[in-house]
Amino acid sequence: MCLFCKIVRNEIPSNKILEDDEFVAFHDINPKAPLHILAIPKIHVDSFNEVSPELMAKMTTFIQKIVQEVKIEKSGYRVITNIGDNGGQEVKHLHFHILGGAKLKWDHFSDSDPQGHF
Ligand code: AMP
């Protein structure tokens, strides 16, 4: 069973923020911003490549609830999902990073072409 499936089942502890029948949100263990939350579906979906439009629609509503809960909807935030090797996906269970609490940088996405021309 994957790491995030174990978090869903409370077999691994997590610092949960919000939960409903289909989704859970918890603090990232290695935060890359003052606020770094992960939002995941409870059912196992490998990545964004496999998610259905129906689940994605509900995920959108869930993410909107999270940012209201932690009060960053006005100050702003970033939503990221990493996909596959080039995307830097380490945990193969669909998750959305929600980053906020500070002005976020926007640079250096590729080590192989630091000039940014791909
Ligand atoms: P990704 O690289 O997009 O697959 O993101 C995986 C994220 O999961 C990383 O930001 C990790 O810091 C985070 N992570 C790994 N293990 C845990 C855990 N037990 N609890 C919370 N976050 C975790």
Side-chain angles (χ1 to χ4, degrees):
M1 189 185 299
C2 89
L3 178 70
F4 286 175
C5 283
K6 288 182 180 163
I7 284 180
V8 168
R9 292 164 170 240
N10 293 314
E11 290 173 14
I12 289 178
S14 67
N15 192 353
K16 290 199 176 109
I17 295 159
L18 204 63
E19 182 169 10
D20 66 15
D21 288 346
E22 291 185 280
F23 304 98
V24 58
F26 52 92
H27 289 281
D28 195 294
I29 205 166
N30 181 23
K32 293 180 172 58
L35 202 57
H36 186 169
I37 298 163
L38 299 174
I40 68 170
K42 289 188 171 178
I43 61 159
H44 183 89
V45 176
D46 283 345
S47 81
F48 185 76
N49 281 339
E50 290 82 18
V51 71
S52 69
E54 293 77 18
L55 189 65
M56 201 54 223
K58 289 186 273 187
M59 176 60 99
T60 299
T61 303
F62 185 67
I63 290 171
Q64 289 167 344
K65 277 188 196 153
I66 295 164
V67 300
Q68 285 164 18
E69 177 78 21
V70 298
K71 302 189 189 322
I72 56 170
E73 79 270 35
K74 297 236 164 43
S75 56
Y77 57 94
R78 189 170 294 160
V79 178
I80 295 173
T81 187
N82 296 326
I83 301 139
D85 287 346
N86 278 358
Q89 183 182 6
E90 288 173 5
V91 180
K92 309 300 189 223
H93 181 129
L94 176 66
H95 53 281
F96 291 84
H97 298 260
I98 301 160
L99 299 144
K103 186 95 175 164
L104 301 171
K105 291 184 181 170
W106 181 260
D107 62 3
H108 194 68
F109 281 106
S110 168
D111 288 335
S112 60
D113 181 10
Q115 297 306 309
H117 297 114
F118 301 106

